[in-house]
Amino acid sequence: MKCWTRRQFSCLAGATGVTALCPKKARGGTKARVVVIGGGVGGATSAKYLAMSSSALDVTLVEPKARYTTCFFSNLYLAGLRSLESLTHDYDILAQRYGINVIRDAVTTLDPVARTIGLEGGGTLPYDRAVVAPGISFRYDAIEGYDEAAAQIMPHAWIAGVQTKLLRQQLEGMKDGGVFLMVAPPDPFRCPPGPYERASLIAYYFKQYKPRAKILILDAKDSFFEQDVFQDGWYRHYPGMIEWLPGQFTGGVKAIDVKNRSVKTSGEIFKADVANIIPAQMAGELAQRAGLVDQSGWCPIDPKTFESKLQPGVHVVGDAARAGNMAKSAFASNSQGKVCAFAIAAALTGSEQFAPHLFNTCFTLLAPDDAVTSAISYRTEPETIKISDIFVSKVGENAETRRKAVREANGWYAAFTHDLFG
Ligand SMILES: Cc1cc2nc3c(=O)[nH]c(=O)nc-3n(C[C@H](O)[C@H](O)[C@H](O)COP(=O)(O)OP(=O)(O)OC[C@H]3O[C@@H](n4cnc5c(N)ncnc54)[C@H](O)[C@@H]3O)c2cc1C
């Protein structure tokens, strides 16, 4: 198996469609075709576990980027603790070892009646089942003045890659004594502890290189996940450096002035030296275009199979899915990808249908030697997914427990990315 570039793929697929590319046989006929859209956490997991679960499946993964940079651990890059390269992974092993047809292209259309997928490069892919895992998109209409162009000056850095690099450059260029202003989004959003881990690790960077700098968080919310643990960490490691203002205090962020690098709330204007605007979020654009999204902005799914409730034969995993109480995290997306892969394999090949096991574990760094953890298991109900057990770190844990959590976090990153791409 090999990876096809968009150009090679278009030539090969031509008008005849892609089936001609892989005419493999199984159970007396052609293999059942599963097309996975999006090579991030949810998509890579689904593709790999589909390919591993049955030789009777022909698995294709469509992803526009040659290499994927993880959002998880990108806050360490912002703090100068990891290189971006160390967070970047390719699809070679998925193609070579697992026999997945990796197509470098973007999906533009999904027709759930004809069961075909249209590619930006011009080809068409027929499917028996599709998995849609496009991640998030931003509600650019939520804050006046903030759009894609504004994000080039006041980055969100909430999809890792160029945006993350831009924010790091701005932090490096900021004068000592400057203000780093973050706008934190309303629920639900990708990675609930993420904005506060980012503030912690940028404070760590400032403490080394710009000790007079300040961090101001203008939050859309009135409270946030693991708030007591974060605020305790800020007090111990960075006293006086981080100020968090809840939505009920500011009345919420109303507008952005890119030219003056300022943020307007109900009653005040806040000036920034570096501004990180993380807007409200919804399912990735393709999910919207394919009719997979309901009025919440996310994709309703069957909790046992992750099949869309709106388009039969299409499954949605990862942040785009509306998965009950599950957090929008990499760990959760990976867990969903596995459940989805086994459910599709069972439906298409008659293999055993496993009961779903859904989990989320998160390691969050307050400082390079101080990490906290959360571990959650979920149970599925006919219409939703609920938390069945939860562990979260507590204020007052001893220093060795926190150092151990940092070692576990590093081990987790290596093992987890191996599970996705290795
Ligand atoms: C700062 C930060 C820190 C985080 N830290 C953690 C952490 O410590 N632990 C944790 O568990 N989670 C963490 N997360 C969350 C985690 O990164 C996401 O929840 C996870 O990436 C979601 O996976 P996904 O597959 O839904 O989306 P993504 O990983 O974003 O993948 C989506 C993919 O779909 C592709 N795509 C989009 N549209 C199309 C299209 N039309 N055609 C083809 N492909 C398409 C994109 O190119 C992309 O590769 C963090 C997030 C942030 C922002």
Side-chain angles (χ1 to χ4, degrees), residues 37-43 62-65 68 71-75 91 105-107 133-135 157-158 190-191 194 197-198 286 317-320 328-331 333 360-363 412:
I37 303 168
V41 180
V62 188
E63 163 62 46
K65 289 183 282 209
Y68 174 81
C71 281
F72 43 102
F73 274 40
S74 65
N75 288 330
Y91 299 99
D105 207 335
V107 170
W158 218 241
R190 164 173 283 182
C191 194
E197 180 191 63
R198 177 171 288 178
L286 178 74
V317 296
D319 288 353
K328 296 193 181 300
S329 77
F331 201 109
S333 303
N360 185 38
T361 295
C362 197
F363 299 94
W412 170 78

